[in-house]
Amino acid sequence: MTPSATAPRMYRAGIVGCGAISRNHLEAFGALDNVQVVGVCDIDLDRARATAQDWDVPHAVNTVDEILALGVDIVSVCTPHPTHEEVVLKAAAAGVHVLCEKPIATRLGSAERMVAACEEAGVQFGALFQRRFWPAAQRIRSAIDDGTLGRPLMAQCSVMLHRAPEYYNRDAWRGTWENDGGGVLMTQAIHQIDLLQWYLGDVAEVYGKVNTYRHGGYIEVEDSATAVITFTSGAMATLEASTAVSPNLGIQLRITGETGASASLTEFPEGSDGRLDLWAVGERITVEPVHPEGVEPNVDLSTINGQLIPHHTSQVRDFVQALDAGTEPAITGKDALKSLRILLAVYESSRTGAPVRFAGSGASPGVDIPADVVTRVPAEAAG
Ligand SMILES: NC(=O)c1ccc[n+]([C@@H]2O[C@H](COP(=O)([O-])OP(=O)(O)OC[C@H]3O[C@@H](n4cnc5c(N)ncnc54)[C@H](O)[C@@H]3O)[C@@H](O)[C@H]2O)c1
């Protein structure tokens, strides 16, 4: 073999959107030997320039077309939710692979167009749900697959978070139905909804309620939600989610499988350990003694985002390895579409007061949620 045959393929990456989460992508690409970030893009050119300077990136631009013109192989989409579609469609048309932050879109139609465009163009479409890459989250997946838990029967998911008014007031797009597309479900609990559907499979029915308890003075969207989700396997999950909690109580996801064994994944308020804190398998219950002195509950978002960097790095590494192997990445746009469909069904159920039964799930009468469901939510959600 010649040396060139064994050399890893080099990739040129561009990042669109130089706000809070772009740091995670810059760190993640920086950790890989075979990727160079050649350009950053922001509609605020000064912000793009500052980012390029801080991270030693050769080009700073303010349009997607200019980033694509740099001849990139991969584009990371780190802009506000409703702008993702335009970036993804342009990247796909240019034959560029896409890594898009969650939620990939706030409307089903938009997400479907993005998935279809990437498929037609033959480019890979990765969706960022980095919490799947926690070792503890992977351990639960393995325990399902190897029979330790076996087929999941029940899940309880609690996403009880603190967000200060400044979080919503920081950017005009936050907290609006039009631009944020939803509240705690769309922006925070979507990560745990992704984990639920990864563990428990396809959804048959969703019943839910949303409400706005504490942030109603400055947001339109829900700050709290509850849901009962039934899966085609017959498994059931309950979900409670809120950003109206103070202090921050963190996140817990517990799964019980057909063997009777349970595992519980806890994300502490101060960040994202994502540790497995309860492992009730066989004759033993193991509870990990963590943070006996307590934790600081309401830490700032840059701390939380910073603690997610190792998991962004794992997902970005998986994505690049998939490009090398010519396979799909671990988490695709199609997976993201499933999570979006579930959370939109919570809004629809809250609006109508009836469960939403997913078409094709075998559940009767098999109605599906309309593609424009979010546009019809506000009056009910605010009530
Ligand atoms: N995976 C995670 O855990 C995680 C965490 C935080 C944010 N996110 C997601 O990342 C995305 C961005 O969030 P953020 O907190 O970084 O937002 P942000 O507001 O801090 O940054 C967004 C940036 O995009 C720029 N921008 C807006 N429209 C643009 C366009 N059309 N072209 C180029 N640049 C544009 C803005 O000027 C801003 O600098 C959101 O979808 C959010 O949900 C994911």
Side-chain angles (χ1 to χ4, degrees), residues 19-21 42-43 47 79-81 84 101-102 130 174 191:
I21 207 63
D42 200 293
I43 46 170
R47 189 176 283 187
T79 57
H81 324 329
H84 292 173
E101 272 297 345
K102 48 52 64 174
Q130 76 283 355
R174 290 189 191 274
H191 283 289

Side-chain angles (χ1 to χ4, degrees), residues 194-213:
D194 172 67
L195 287 173
L196 282 175
Q197 62 93 10
W198 185 42
Y199 293 145
L200 277 70
D202 289 338
V203 164
E205 183 184 285
V206 172
Y207 178 72
K209 292 274 182 204
V210 299
N211 221 317
T212 311
Y213 288 126

Side-chain angles (χ1 to χ4, degrees), residues 16 40-43 45 60-69 90:
V16 182
V40 289
C41 165
D42 200 293
I43 46 170
L45 187 55
V61 300
N62 66 348
T63 66
V64 179
D65 293 334
E66 288 171 282
I67 261 279
L68 296 173
K90 283 192 168 183

Side-chain angles (χ1 to χ4, degrees), residues 16-22 41-44 47 62 64 77-81 83-84 86-87 101-103 128-131 170-171 173-174 187 191 305 308 312:
V16 182
C18 296
I21 207 63
S22 63
C41 165
D42 200 293
I43 46 170
D44 178 343
R47 189 176 283 187
N62 66 348
V64 179
V77 186
C78 301
T79 57
H81 324 329
T83 61
H84 292 173
E86 186 193 353
V87 183
E101 272 297 345
K102 48 52 64 174
L128 255 297
F129 285 105
Q130 76 283 355
R131 281 169 169 82
R170 186 171 62 112
D171 305 298
W173 62 278
R174 290 189 191 274
T187 297
H191 283 289
N305 285 344
L308 295 170
H312 267 88

Side-chain angles (χ1 to χ4, degrees), residues 48-225:
R49 285 186 175 137
T51 303
Q53 191 169 4
D54 289 350
W55 293 86
D56 204 16
V57 174
H59 299 279
V61 300
N62 66 348
T63 66
V64 179
D65 293 334
E66 288 171 282
I67 261 279
L68 296 173
L70 295 174
V72 292
D73 306 294
I74 305 167
V75 157
S76 267
V77 186
C78 301
T79 57
H81 324 329
T83 61
H84 292 173
E85 180 179 355
E86 186 193 353
V87 183
V88 171
L89 295 192
K90 283 192 168 183
V96 171
H97 303 291
V98 176
L99 252 175
C100 184
E101 272 297 345
K102 48 52 64 174
I104 59 167
T106 59
R107 311 285 200 273
L108 277 184
S110 175
E112 283 165 354
R113 285 191 293 277
M114 293 157 78
V115 168
C118 289
E119 272 182 2
E120 277 161 29
V123 299
Q124 294 297 350
F125 182 4
L128 255 297
F129 285 105
Q130 76 283 355
R131 281 169 169 82
R132 280 203 207 180
F133 284 85
W134 278 334
Q138 295 275 335
R139 192 174 167 199
I140 291 181
R141 182 68 253 178
S142 300
I144 292 168
D145 294 339
D146 70 17
T148 304
L149 295 179
R151 183 169 61 89
L153 300 180
M154 293 190 74
Q156 296 92 39
C157 184
S158 173
V159 184
M160 299 300 276
L161 305 175
H162 169 79
R163 288 292 181 272
E166 302 78 61
Y167 167 79
Y168 292 106
N169 293 329
R170 186 171 62 112
D171 305 298
W173 62 278
R174 290 189 191 274
T176 61
W177 286 110
E178 182 58 28
N179 291 318
D180 221 350
V184 65
L185 289 172
M186 186 67 78
T187 297
Q188 283 85 24
I190 191 169
H191 283 289
Q192 287 69 40
I193 291 171
D194 172 67
L195 287 173
L196 282 175
Q197 62 93 10
W198 185 42
Y199 293 145
L200 277 70
D202 289 338
V203 164
E205 183 184 285
V206 172
Y207 178 72
K209 292 274 182 204
V210 299
N211 221 317
T212 311
Y213 288 126
R214 285 193 69 204
H215 297 301
Y218 35 86
I219 68 172
E220 301 167 359
V221 295
E222 88 289 356
D223 63 20
S224 304

